[in-house]
Amino acid sequence: MWHFQKIDPFKTLSGKKYITFIGSGGKTTFIEYIAEEFIRQGKSAAVTTTTKIMAKEPYTVFEKNIQYARIHRFLRTGKTIEGGKLTGMYPSDIMALGAMYDIVLIEADGAKKKPLKFPASFEPVIPSFSEKIFILCGLDGLSRRVDETVFRWELFHEATGIKGDEPVTSSILLSLFSEKGILKDCNLSKTTVVLNKYDASGQKGAATGIAKGVIEKTGIGQVIISSLSFKVFYSVTKS
């Protein structure tokens, strides 16, 4: 039996400290939403990366974190800053953040603002101690050309034979969910898929079918259909 329920994803993180985000289609926005909710409830939150993120205020580099944490309940941090971006942290550094902050939100993938993503051999960089993994996909990629929509579409073509000039259909989006695709290096028992940008999708009616397809294909227990712009989230599960 299928179950559909409006939820607050913040409440699914109770008792978890290290949360990792991969994929495409709104990772940074989702991370900021979770961080804001923690701060609103009087807790502290750190946003960091194993790759690179924009150095948006407030931010600091890791060597200054202890001093910074004594004053601020929220920060963005990386190992160094290069070209306006915070660089990836070592796992031991990320674990150290957990001693300073109630939650550590880790951006572990890049997609150059594309709605969809197929990973290269060196990504994503998911810390082994991650207690929750969110895979994001942008529903606004539906109906658009593969080569305009999928980051690293050439690798996607090599793996699947799908051509760059094909429009992204539900089945093409589902083909991203493979061990060589966006499930790469994920512990599926800790993973939730977020189909984001429902409000910007040209095929809103396809969202539920894609969510069901992800669950049936992968065994992942929960898919969230979301519109981060409006802070609306619906959970899809199967019993």
Side-chain angles (χ1 to χ4, degrees):
M1 179 181 295
W2 291 101
H3 304 276
F4 303 86
Q5 181 181 7
K6 190 174 183 180
I7 63 163
D8 181 350
F10 173 80
K11 294 180 180 179
T12 69
L13 302 178
S14 177
K16 297 179 175 61
K17 185 178 288 285
Y18 300 101
I19 316 298
T20 296
F21 303 78
I22 65 170
S24 54
K27 289 189 307 297
T28 301
T29 304
F30 194 31
I31 289 169
E32 296 287 330
Y33 167 78
I34 297 294
E36 287 172 5
E37 286 295 303
F38 263 82
I39 298 303
R40 188 174 63 83
Q41 296 195 15
K43 298 183 179 182
S44 60
V47 174
T48 190
T49 182
T50 55
T51 55
K52 288 183 179 180
I53 56 174
M54 293 300 298
K56 179 182 175 183
E57 294 284 357
Y59 71 86
T60 185
V61 293
F62 181 70
E63 64 184 14
K64 297 180 181 179
N65 281 346
I66 295 177
Q67 179 182 358
Y68 197 94
R70 290 174 183 154
I71 304 170
H72 300 276
R73 289 191 295 116
F74 172 68
L75 89 160
R76 301 174 186 88
T77 186
K79 191 69 176 178
T80 60
I81 184 166
E82 297 177 4
K85 291 187 176 183
L86 295 163
T87 62
M89 301 261 281
Y90 296 124
S92 57
D93 296 336
I94 294 173
M95 289 195 75
L97 282 175
M100 306 177 205
Y101 289 87
D102 293 317
I103 194 167
V104 181
L105 307 171
I106 308 152
E107 189 161 338
D109 209 359
K112 296 288 179 71
K113 300 187 181 299
K114 298 280 188 173
L116 303 171
K117 167 74 184 280
F118 191 88
S121 59
F122 54 84
E123 56 189 358
V125 187
I126 301 173
S128 61
F129 48 84
S130 298
E131 296 166 273
K132 183 72 175 180
I133 300 168
F134 286 103
I135 301 175
L136 275 80
C137 292
L139 290 171
D140 56 328
L142 289 169
S143 300
R144 295 166 56 186
R145 287 171 56 116
V146 166
D147 56 5
E148 296 174 347
T149 305
V150 180
F151 184 53
R152 305 198 194 284
W153 74 268
E154 299 92 343
L155 298 177
F156 182 49
H157 169 68
E158 290 177 11
T160 64
I162 295 170
K163 297 178 180 178
D165 61 358
E166 294 187 49
V168 175
T169 61
S170 296
S171 61
I172 285 178
L173 195 154
L174 283 169
S175 68
L176 289 165
F177 287 87
S178 68
E179 291 183 358
K180 292 183 178 180
I182 54 178
L183 301 180
K184 183 169 172 278
D185 298 335
C186 290
N187 181 333
L188 298 188
S189 68
K190 299 178 180 180
T191 298
T192 292
V193 172
V194 180
L195 301 176
N196 188 35
K197 298 190 179 181
Y198 175 81
D199 54 296
S201 173
Q203 295 186 29
K204 292 182 174 63
T208 301
I210 293 170
K212 290 180 176 180
V214 169
I215 291 170
E216 290 178 333
K217 180 177 181 179
T218 68
I220 287 173
Q222 182 185 45
V223 172
I224 296 172
I225 299 172
S226 71
S227 172
L228 279 165
S229 297
F230 295 95
K231 297 183 179 179
V232 176
F233 307 88
Y234 281 89
S235 171
V236 181
T237 57
K238 186 179 182 181
S239 61

